[in-house]
Every structure is written in structure tokens, then in C-alpha cells.
Amino acid sequence: MMKRISLLAATLVLLTGCGTYNDIVARDEGVTKAAADVEAQLQRRSDLVPGLIASVQKVADQEKDVLTAVTEARARASQMQFSGDVLTDPNAMKAFRENVAALRGALSRLLVTVEKYPDLKSSEAFMSFNAQLEGTENRIAVARTRYNEAVAAYNTRIRQIPGNLLAGWFDFKPKVAFEADEAAKTAPKVEFR
């Protein structure tokens, strides 16, 4: 009788461990998928930028330095993949955020430049790209939020008992959440002239 109870208890522990392990794996995959979603939206933005540059470049050739900065920032942002080491390495995540922030800053300067040229604002192509870019920025914000939610769920699971034991045995590492860069933490100054 005692053997049966011990065997039943051991079976229950093993089954609980399997469920916990599978839950950790599912959450780990959820983080990977959420990271891929962020990367997909960043790629969408990167794909839109050349068209935006082409439409703006026709009218604002004298602002080549701004367009060059956008092109260079886009190239740097496109080179980094939001996966692998970036998900677990705070330094890689910081470099990724800096590249994305540089592109966002360059795009902001481009849009300010465009506001100086009224004929650009009336261009249908520019307005269309501007709307697409705004929509993409919103999608990126949603994807980042979902990524951070997936990271929080995963990190919580591997820190709770019995997940923390299995995480240690199977080398599940905490993931790094996407954080705003320092410049984004300051409200932009709006001036009307």
C-alpha cells in the first residue's frame, strides 16, 4: 500500500513538472513570436521609408543631409535582428533600441523638414506614405506592448515554483523587456510659429 502511495505521489510530481515545463516552453515561444511581430512591424516601416524618401526627395533636394540621416538610420536598424541574443542580452537590447531610436529621430527630422515645404504636404503620395508611416508606428507600439506582456508572463513563470526549478535544470533564461530610450521619456516641446 505504501509503495502505491509513493508511486502515485511520484507520478503526480512528474506530471506536474511536465505541465510546468510545457507551459514554460509555450511562454518562451510566445516571447519569440512577439519579438518576431515587433521585427515584422519594424521591417514594414523600413520598407516604407524608401518610398517616403523618394517622394520627398523630388521636392526637397536641398535637405539631403536629413534624407541621408534617414537612409543611414534605416540601414542600421534593418541590420539588427530582434531575436536571439537581443532577447536575453541587455547590451544587445540597448544597441537595438538605439538603432530604432536613431531611425525614429531621423524620421522626425524628415517630417519637420517636410512641414517647411507646403507643396510637399499637398502631395498625395506624401500624404499616403505619411498615413502609412503613422499606422506603422502605432502597430510597432502595439507589438512592443505585446512583446513586453509575453516577456512578463514568461519571466514570472520561470521565477515561480516549480517553474524556477525546471528553468534552472533546462537553462531557461529571463528575457529582456523592450524599454523606451531616454529621449522618449521626455515630452516633446511643441512650438507654434
Side-chain angles (χ1 to χ4, degrees), residues 44-112:
R44 182 178 190 275
R45 176 175 62 188
S46 183
D47 292 344
L48 283 174
V49 170
L52 177 60
I53 290 172
S55 67
V56 172
Q57 204 165 24
K58 289 179 182 177
V59 180
D61 275 343
Q62 64 272 32
E63 298 295 334
K64 285 189 192 267
D65 57 331
V66 174
L67 298 175
T68 300
V70 170
T71 303
E72 290 171 357
R74 175 188 172 266
R76 282 193 308 276
S78 297
Q79 288 173 354
M80 284 196 80
Q81 297 290 317
F82 188 59
S83 57
D85 291 341
V86 174
L87 299 180
T88 56
D89 181 359
N91 292 328
M93 178 64 87
K94 181 181 178 199
F96 181 81
R97 282 194 322 266
E98 287 170 355
N99 284 340
V100 170
L103 178 57
R104 188 173 54 245
L107 286 170
S108 294
R109 287 190 304 280
L110 175 63
L111 293 175
V112 166

Side-chain angles (χ1 to χ4, degrees), residues 21-32:
Y21 175 83
N22 290 339
D23 186 50
I24 292 172
V25 169
R27 290 173 192 258
D28 186 41
E29 289 300 316
V31 170
T32 301

Side-chain angles (χ1 to χ4, degrees), residues 138-193:
N138 290 336
R139 288 181 180 135
I140 290 169
V142 168
R144 285 178 182 157
T145 299
R146 289 181 180 155
Y147 168 77
N148 284 347
E149 289 168 354
V151 166
Y154 168 82
N155 286 346
T156 299
R157 188 64 173 123
I158 67 168
R159 290 181 60 207
Q160 293 175 330
I161 294 175
N164 61 346
L165 299 173
L166 290 170
W169 293 340
F170 292 101
D171 201 31
F172 287 104
K173 292 183 174 30
K175 305 294 184 188
V176 179
F178 197 97
E179 297 175 1
D181 57 5
E182 286 303 313
K185 293 178 183 178
T186 305
K189 190 174 186 180
V190 178
E191 293 181 25
F192 293 101
R193 296 176 190 206

